[in-house]
Amino acid sequence: MNVLTLYIIKEVSKGSLVALLLLLTLFNLFTFSDELKDLGHGNYGLKQILLYLTLTSPRVFFELVPSAALLGSLFIVGSMANNREIVAMRAAGLSISWIIRSIMLAGLLLVIVAVCVGEFIAPASERAAQLLKTTAQNNGIVMRSQYGMWLREGNRFINVRQILDDGSLGDIRIYEIDDQHKLNQVTLAAHGKFLGNKQWQLTQVKRTLMTPQKITADSQAEMQWESAIESDLLKVAVVNSDNLSLYDLYKYIDFLKTNNQKSQSYEMAFWSRLINPLVTFVMLMVSVPFVIGIGRGISAGGRIFMGILIGMSFNILDRIAGHMGLIYDVNPLFVAVLPSLLVFSAALYAVRRVS
């Protein structure tokens, strides 16, 4: 690896990281503004908002890497073109393909960092962020374990083993204690549905009452259960693609298919997550024709505007393709790959025209 290759890798990586930090700061400022609307809701104060932003930053970091790579490459390599550095490199016998290869090596470093953050840090921090926000706003005490989700409401301890996609609950266990902290009632229910206004409908209910003198048990087909716990508090345990790594997504998709449940949205999330690092290379390829031959006289502001325009257009195309794929039941892999493939093909065509 020669000096010029290292120079391009270092400059593009540095420019992309600076762009990434700026984008992350802007995104968090907008998110902070939105979160201020919920300030004072329950125990959700300024401290919780700042902690929430910190915990969601790894996920945002992972999602912003392709856009940052595009902006960084446009700015840095564009400056090289304006300063005639690219012209000097080509005059020295270096081809456009060599320049592209050097830019892609910088992209490889960004992809490695993004994958490490997206797979090993972001899922856990995103779960913690959602749990923090929801429990703070609902004044609830929540604990997740291998035995489901535990919640406390006064003298009642509620264990929920299953939370379905529609928000209903399965395999519910409610333990009630008296003022002397002794267990006096256990309620088991196969299913629970939120009716609104603090009311839940439990079905296939079995209750056990315990007193110092005796223990009694009864069964009911249905039972109304009043609880101040809101359904939003329980939704934090619903499987969310943002909270899962690729391996966890793969296992959950397999679980859904085994149980004959719809898995397309999670398959879409799986393939999109898998394709996302490759989008970084697509964005870097898009930047090449704008900085080599086509746009040598364009200012830094013009390049940033082009980067924002291209990035927004790609995101809109990607979202449209995703929604259309879900509506018309198109193969998730094809839908995830299609936008990147179209943009990459257009970039290759433009590079050939420049060459």
Side-chain angles (χ1 to χ4, degrees):
M1 189 177 292
N2 59 37
V3 175
L4 287 176
T5 301
L6 288 173
Y7 172 67
I8 292 178
I9 291 174
K10 183 183 72 173
E11 291 301 312
V12 172
S13 300
K14 184 169 64 176
S16 298
L17 288 175
V18 170
L20 184 56
L21 290 176
L22 290 174
L23 289 174
L24 183 61
T25 302
L26 285 173
F27 189 96
N28 281 338
L29 284 175
F30 288 127
T31 305
F32 178 76
S33 177
D34 288 338
E35 293 301 316
L36 285 177
K37 299 175 184 177
D38 296 325
L39 184 66
H41 187 183
N43 293 325
Y44 197 54
L46 188 60
K47 178 182 177 182
Q48 285 72 27
I49 291 177
L50 295 175
L51 184 56
Y52 173 79
L53 292 177
T54 302
L55 291 171
T56 56
S57 290
R59 174 185 58 81
V60 179
F61 178 96
F62 175 76
E63 294 175 350
L64 290 177
V65 166
S67 299
L70 173 62
L71 288 172
S73 180
L74 281 172
F75 185 78
I76 296 299
V77 185
S79 296
M80 291 181 183
N82 285 345
N83 296 330
R84 300 297 186 265
E85 294 178 66
I86 298 296
V87 174
M89 292 177 188
R90 296 185 66 183
L94 301 177
S95 64
I96 289 180
S97 61
W98 176 88
I99 297 172
I100 293 174
R101 187 196 67 178
S102 301
I103 294 173
M104 292 302 170
L105 286 174
L108 180 61
L109 293 178
L110 294 172
V111 166
I112 292 172
V113 173
V115 169
C116 291
V117 172
E119 289 301 301
F120 302 108
I121 300 176
S125 66
E126 186 69 18
R127 285 194 296 269
Q130 298 304 324
L131 191 61
L132 166 75
K133 180 178 179 178
T134 310
T135 52
Q137 290 183 352
N138 291 278
N139 295 322
I141 300 175
V142 182
M143 182 181 72
R144 297 171 65 121
S145 72
Q146 61 177 324
Y147 301 107
M149 191 177 200
W150 286 89
L151 306 99
R152 179 180 177 181
E153 182 186 25
N155 289 336
R156 289 191 292 192
F157 295 85
I158 303 130
N159 177 221
V160 180
R161 299 293 180 93
Q162 297 178 0
I163 300 182
L164 307 179
D165 288 339
D166 61 357
S168 61
L169 312 178
D171 197 359
I172 309 161
R173 300 153 192 248
I174 306 169
Y175 304 90
E176 297 187 27
I177 60 174
D178 57 23
D179 294 335
Q180 285 74 43
H181 306 292
K182 295 181 179 180
L183 185 66
N184 62 9
Q185 182 173 316
V186 177
T187 304
L188 307 179
H191 186 262
K193 182 179 180 181
F194 186 62
L195 303 177
N197 196 24
K198 300 183 180 181
Q199 294 294 322
W200 291 81
Q201 184 180 47
L202 305 181
T203 56
Q204 300 180 35
V205 182
K206 295 180 180 179
R207 287 198 306 170
T208 303
L209 303 176
M210 287 159 280
T211 64
Q213 292 78 25
K214 62 179 180 178
I215 297 176
T216 59
D218 62 32
S219 300
Q220 300 179 40
E222 293 184 355
M223 186 184 83
Q224 296 293 317
W225 175 47
E226 184 175 346
S227 173
I229 296 173
E230 299 181 12
S231 59
D232 287 344
L233 184 61
L234 298 168
K235 287 179 183 178
V236 298
V238 177
V239 176
N240 188 323
S241 59
D242 289 336
N243 301 342
L244 300 177
S245 65
L246 275 173
Y247 179 68
D248 291 333
L249 267 174
Y250 175 79
K251 290 196 301 182
Y252 189 65
I253 290 168
D254 183 63
F255 166 78
L256 292 176
K257 288 183 175 179
T258 302
N259 291 274
N260 297 317
Q261 298 184 47
K262 288 186 176 181
S263 63
Q264 189 178 20
S265 60
Y266 294 101
E267 288 183 66
M268 187 81 69
F270 174 83
W271 289 114
S272 296
R273 183 84 63 81
L274 194 62
I275 295 297
N276 185 269
L278 302 180
V279 176
T280 301
F281 296 113
V282 174
M283 293 293 102
L284 289 172
M285 180 61 74
V286 167
S287 70
V288 171
F290 287 96
V291 296
I292 300 177
I294 293 179
R296 281 198 289 263
I298 300 177
S299 65
R303 296 183 192 283
I304 293 174
F305 175 76
M306 285 192 304
I308 294 173
L309 184 62
I310 294 170
M312 289 180 61
S313 300
F314 178 81
N315 285 332
I316 291 172
L317 177 63
D318 188 52
R319 289 178 181 273
I320 291 174
H323 288 300
M324 295 295 286
L326 290 174
I327 293 171
Y328 295 104
D329 198 20
V330 182
N331 183 279
L333 176 58
F334 175 76
V335 173
V337 171
L338 181 61
S340 299
L341 188 61
L342 291 175
V343 174
F344 188 74
S345 300
L348 277 179
Y349 174 76
V351 169
R352 288 181 180 177
R353 288 288 301 272
V354 172
S355 300

